[in-house]
Amino acid sequence: MAHQWRGVIAEYAERLPEHVQRRVITLGEGGTPLVPAPALSALTGADVFLKVEGMNPTASFKDRGMTTAISSAAGRGAKVVVCASTGNTSASAAAYATAAGMICAVLVPDGKIAMGKLSQAIAHGARLLQVDGNFDDCLVAARKLAEAYPVELVNSVNPDRIEGQKTGAFEVVDALGDAPDIHALPVGNAGNITAYWKGYREYAGLDAGSSLPPVATRTPAMWGFQAAGSAPIVLGHPVTEPETIATAIRIGNPASWQQAIDARDTSGGLIEAVTDEQILVAHRILSSQVGVFVEPASAAGVAGILALAAQGRVPAGARIVVTVTGHGLKDPQWALRTADGSEVTTMRVSADVVAIADALELG
Ligand code: AN7
């Protein structure tokens, strides 16, 4: 019988609020692969899987929460949405707003978002403004705009976003048959760690007020990783000038800070920092040893489990799921550098089979 994945609202309707279901705007998000990563299992001594969120319609995990946020706004008759973004939220908001026939306003830090994401927001017709400031400044402005004007805010401070993003946890449990021991992921504005933790708790029957039967017998330890130059939760104070090559998580004052701490502490987990060098090493291992191409921020979770394994802090044989949050094609320049930072060169040859075979060292 013909069947295709219907998007997260239809697939998880009974676990999502009714108000996001009045006018469903979907691009078929979710249903992303959970890929075994034997190379990472070998490096960590654990049993590692990747939740490959670059397979979503706009190539990042943001689509899970955008279908619910835009559907909710559409159900209330909203005409204009706004978001602040380090790039992926803007790409997703622009696509879903277009599908809903809405106007999408986007505030991004000037010169600090990856070209692929900028292209997506523009291609989908967003009213994009490059703001003289960082992401945190953009979010303050977006919140004020939504308070003072008839505009809906679709950042993850909007609870409808968290509802959609929690489906990532549902899919992990549906694929594995139960929750993993550890769930690792990058942390920026801290919406995703909040959402996964909510999803895992709900599937384990730990949320008050649900009459649905539990699907999982347990919840994982949540391991969040920030970039060392943008690690406010690790440091315990906001970072006024966050820096990292992982522009997606270049965030100094996360909106869901307290929720991230709750997820860390109630799950028995941790939130730690990884350096840009560790991020780039993990990025390279993912592309050259696993076969999964991600953007730098998305490699932070993998960098984290590798760092903890090196410190002997990864339990042998633990089942670990790492969310890799966005596709490598968003920010492809990082593939074109070698480990020592020099530019990758490619060979030129004549269209002659012998010359080509020689160049490939097949002779
Ligand atoms: C690839 O797009 O904040 O901790 O404005 O794009 O839920 O913020 C992006 C964040 C991880 C961090 N990986 O997730 C935005 C934005 C990628 C991201 C994160 C982001 P949160």
Side-chain angles (χ1 to χ4, degrees):
M1 199 172 78
H3 178 71
Q4 119 167 326
W5 180 266
R6 297 165 296 166
V8 298
I9 295 179
E11 296 291 341
Y12 291 108
E14 61 178 3
R15 292 183 182 270
L16 291 170
E18 196 276 326
H19 72 266
V20 306
Q21 306 187 35
R22 276 179 223 139
R23 188 175 160 221
V24 174
I25 308 295
T26 181
L27 295 171
E29 63 294 318
T32 58
L34 186 70
V35 178
L40 296 175
S41 299
L43 287 167
T44 56
D47 184 19
V48 181
F49 294 80
L50 301 174
K51 183 65 171 158
V52 183
E53 290 291 277
M55 295 300 286
N56 276 296
T58 76
S60 88
F61 73 98
K62 302 287 184 183
D63 295 339
R64 294 180 184 278
M66 210 52 77
T67 184
T68 42
I70 297 289
S71 296
S72 171
R76 286 192 306 280
K79 301 275 183 283
V80 189
V81 295
V82 64
C83 66
S85 183
T86 57
N88 281 324
T89 298
S90 67
S92 186
Y96 283 81
T98 291
M102 290 178 193
I103 291 167
C104 178
V106 168
L107 307 180
V108 298
D110 191 11
K112 292 291 184 183
I113 84 166
M115 190 61 75
K117 304 172 188 179
L118 188 70
S119 313
Q120 288 179 289
I122 290 170
H124 294 305
R127 293 189 188 168
L128 184 137
L129 300 174
Q130 303 243 24
V131 174
D132 180 18
N134 60 30
F135 169 83
D136 306 290
D137 302 319
C138 292
L139 184 55
V140 169
R143 284 187 194 242
K144 287 184 181 160
L145 195 76
E147 277 163 23
Y149 296 85
V151 183
E152 299 260 344
L153 184 67
V154 294
N155 281 102
S156 60
V157 293
N158 176 336
D160 296 328
R161 282 277 310 280
I162 304 298
E163 287 298 315
Q165 279 178 219
K166 76 184 181 188
T167 62
F170 295 167
E171 289 180 20
V172 170
V173 173
D174 289 343
L176 295 177
D178 207 340
D181 298 306
I182 294 163
H183 190 111
L185 76 177
V187 173
N189 213 24
N192 214 24
I193 192 170
T194 301
Y196 266 97
W197 182 234
K198 185 169 200 283
Y200 278 124
R201 286 179 52 82
E202 290 185 7
Y203 245 25
L206 296 174
D207 58 324
S210 169
S211 53
L212 294 167
V215 179
T217 66
R218 61 210 185 113
T219 55
M222 299 300 299
W223 285 12
F225 295 96
Q226 301 199 289
S230 307
I233 298 174
V234 180
L235 296 169
H237 59 76
V239 175
T240 47
E241 293 192 2
E243 272 312 335
T244 168
I245 56 110
T247 52
I249 53 172
R250 189 173 169 273
I251 295 175
N253 193 10
S256 299
W257 190 318
Q258 191 51 51
Q259 292 90 323
I261 302 265
D262 287 349
R264 179 192 70 189
D265 295 347
T266 52
S267 76
L270 53 82
I271 298 179
E272 298 196 5
V274 287
T275 65
D276 282 0
E277 291 71 25
Q278 289 174 313
I279 287 173
L280 288 175
V281 168
H283 179 262
R284 186 173 305 273
I285 290 171
L286 280 166
S287 54
S288 67
Q289 295 184 40
V290 182
V292 173
F293 187 32
V294 303
E295 61 170 292
S298 303
V302 172
I305 65 164
L306 292 175
L308 265 72
Q311 297 164 14
R313 295 164 65 199
V314 171
R319 183 171 268 189
I320 305 181
V321 171
V322 190
T323 302
V324 285
T325 43
H327 204 287
L329 294 174
K330 296 264 190 182
D331 196 4
Q333 60 164 322
W334 301 101
L336 303 175
R337 302 241 158 231
T338 62
D340 66 18
S342 57
E343 210 169 307
V344 172
T345 51
T346 51
M347 260 189 263
R348 296 213 144 65
V349 294
S350 60
D352 170 72
V353 71
V354 175
I356 289 170
D358 276 353
L360 294 173
E361 296 172 30
L362 296 177

